[in-house]
Amino acid sequence: MSTFRVITTAIMVSGCGTAALAEAPQLQTPSPVIFLADNLDENQGLGWCIDTRGRGYAEELQTHSCKPQGGDVQFQYLADSGQIQSVAFPDKCMTLVDPASEAVPFGLRDCDADAEAQKFSYSADTQQISLVSAPGDCVTAGPESRQAGPFLSRDLTIVACGEGDAALQAWVIQ
């Protein structure tokens, strides 16, 4: 098969809503970590992790190149409570703070087991993370990457499950 046909086929497959992984990341981040199953365009092959926006603690969340040293890209899924908790900031959990925001709907707030905005479910079959209160809405990496120092970042959004590129909604919990 010619190179042109292979590239054309890959573009056609990635344009549809089915999960067609281009390449798995070469994850170096220590566990626990939550990352996209597809490396997408992460140019160092590190993968995409949930991350605080900026260095260290920040109230806004994004997706970011998974950092080999870990730190603020390390999050763990607590299946009993449904919370996604920061490892670097253990009293802070991922929270849907502004559902109307297309760029920054998620924040890092004090963990509260009773807060509906902090309750997520994970499907190992679909690899989707959805809100318990709105199971049709999935945690989704933004479609465009941008430079972030020596790494890359993307928005972390909430989108209808199955809408758009499936690779942006397929998460691995490790």
Side-chain angles (χ1 to χ4, degrees):
M1 182 180 283
S2 73
T3 303
F4 176 75
R5 283 181 54 196
V6 171
I7 291 171
T8 303
T9 302
I11 289 169
M12 287 171 39
V13 170
S14 69
C16 66
T18 60
L21 295 182
E23 176 184 341
Q26 301 302 309
L27 192 71
Q28 298 174 30
T29 307
S31 293
V33 64
I34 301 172
F35 61 96
L36 285 176
D38 193 321
N39 191 62
L40 304 173
D41 64 345
E42 205 296 315
N43 55 11
Q44 298 177 64
L46 298 171
W48 294 92
C49 288
I50 297 172
D51 178 47
T52 57
R53 193 177 287 261
R55 294 186 179 183
Y57 177 77
E59 288 192 346
E60 296 178 341
L61 295 178
Q62 63 182 357
T63 51
H64 191 279
S65 301
C66 297
K67 300 170 191 166
Q69 74 277 12
D72 60 357
V73 296
Q74 288 181 275
F75 284 79
Q76 61 186 342
Y77 177 66
L78 307 175
D80 290 344
S81 66
Q83 292 171 299
I84 296 175
Q85 181 184 49
S86 171
V87 173
F89 312 103
D91 60 336
K92 302 294 183 183
C93 288
M94 185 166 127
T95 307
L96 181 64
V97 293
D98 187 0
S101 174
E102 291 183 21
V104 190
F106 292 105
L108 197 58
R109 301 294 191 271
D110 290 339
C111 294
D112 177 356
D114 295 325
E116 289 298 316
Q118 290 183 3
K119 293 183 182 181
F120 300 90
S121 64
Y122 177 70
S123 168
D125 292 336
T126 64
Q127 295 183 304
Q128 292 175 323
I129 299 171
S130 61
L131 291 162
V132 169
S133 62
D137 293 336
C138 284
V139 176
T140 305
E144 296 178 20
S145 62
R146 58 188 169 271
Q147 201 64 43
F151 300 109
L152 296 174
S153 67
R154 292 170 176 254
D155 294 332
L156 183 64
T157 64
I158 190 79
V159 175
C161 299
E163 185 176 300
D165 187 346
L168 300 175
Q169 293 183 346
W171 298 92
V172 176
I173 295 177
Q174 182 175 296

